[in-house]
Amino acid sequence: MAHSSIVVTLSQNLFKRNLTCVKIHAHSPSSSFGSRSLSLPSFSFSQRTTPLSLTASFSSHTAMGETSAPAADAGMDAVQRRLMFEDECILVDENDRVVGHDSKYNCHLMEKIEAENLLHRAFSVFLFNSKYELLLQQRSATKVTFPLVWTNTCCSHPLYRESELIDENALGVRNAAQRKLLDELGIVAEDVPVDQFTPLGRILYKAPSDGKWGEHELDYLLFIVRDVNVNPNPDEVADIKYVNRDQLKELLRKADAGEEGLKLSPWFRLVVDNFLFKWWDHLERGALGEVTDMKTIHKLT
C-alpha cells in the first residue's frame, strides 16, 4: 500500500503543475475561437497507468521538484529527463477517445507500449514559407527517441491540460502546436496564430526507436503557411533547412541509399509516402479543403 500512495501523490502533483499552465495557452489573441472554459475528463487518479514496478523511479525529487530517473537512465540528458517525467501525455483509444493520461516516459517505453497498448495523442506541424518551401528540422542528439533524424517542422504531444484537451476543431492540438513551435524553434505565438493551422488528417502508427524506446501515436497533421523568424533551441533541434519538392525528393533518395548517414523519422516518412506531395500541390492552389479529412484515422505501417 505504501508504494501505491506514492504513485497517487505524484500523479496529483503533476496534474496540479500542469494546471498552473492552463491560462497561458488557453487563449490566443489572434485566434477566432476566443477563450474557452472546459472541464477535464473525470478520470480518477487510480486510472493512471504507472505500474508499481516503476515506483522506485518516482521515490525522490530534487529541490526544484524534478523527478529522478531510474539508475538505468542516468545518462539521459537532464532537459529530456525532466520532460520525460513532467509532461503528461493524453492517452487515447484507436478512435481517438481520451481514456486517461500518463508520463511521457511511460508512453515511450516499448515494453509498456507492447504490454499495455499505450497510445497517446500527438501532432506533426508542416510549416511552409510564402514561397511554399517546407521547414524541416534535425532532431537534437540528446532526444530520447530518434536522435539526429530529419523530420517535419515540429513533432510533439498535446499535454493533459485544459487548453490542450479541447476537441472542437482540434483546438487543443493547435494550442499545443503553437506552444511547441516556441519551445523547439523559438517561433513566437504571434507569428503562428492558432487559427492559421489547418488540420488535414490523422494517422495512427507504431515505430520502435531502439531496443527500449519508441512511438505509438495518434498523430494530427497540421499545415500552416507563415514567414517566421526561427531561433532553434539546441536542446531540441540540431539543424534546420527549408526545402522545395525537388530538394525533399533528393533527401529521400539519400536516406534510401544510406548516403551521408541521413535518416528520416518514421512518421515523417509515412506522411511523405502517403500524403505530402498531393497535399503540397493543393496548398499552392489554395485548395486544401479538397483533401482535408478529419473523420478518417489512417492506420499506417
Side-chain angles (χ1 to χ4, degrees), residues 10-25 40 45 48 82-83 85-90 101-104 158-165 179:
L10 178 63
S11 300
Q12 293 169 325
N13 288 341
L14 283 171
F15 188 68
K16 290 175 182 176
R17 184 158 60 237
N18 281 342
L19 282 180
T20 63
C21 300
V22 165
K23 295 303 179 184
I24 296 174
H25 301 290
L40 291 168
F45 287 107
R48 181 179 170 84
R82 175 177 58 80
L83 295 175
F85 289 102
E86 288 190 357
D87 284 359
E88 288 282 302
C89 294
I90 301 168
H101 59 100
D102 207 342
S103 67
K104 182 178 177 182
L159 300 181
Y160 191 81
R161 57 177 60 157
E162 184 176 13
S163 62
E164 298 183 13
L165 280 161
R179 171 178 59 82

Side-chain angles (χ1 to χ4, degrees), residues 54-108:
L54 288 180
T55 303
S57 67
F58 298 110
S59 60
S60 62
H61 304 270
T62 66
M64 296 299 291
E66 180 180 333
T67 306
S68 297
D73 300 317
M76 189 183 295
D77 174 76
V79 172
Q80 298 300 327
R81 182 172 62 247
R82 175 177 58 80
L83 295 175
M84 275 289 193
F85 289 102
E86 288 190 357
D87 284 359
E88 288 282 302
C89 294
I90 301 168
L91 298 179
V92 294
D93 63 18
E94 291 192 353
N95 294 309
D96 200 18
R97 291 186 292 250
V98 177
V99 297
H101 59 100
D102 207 342
S103 67
K104 182 178 177 182
Y105 186 97
N106 284 340
C107 287
H108 291 84

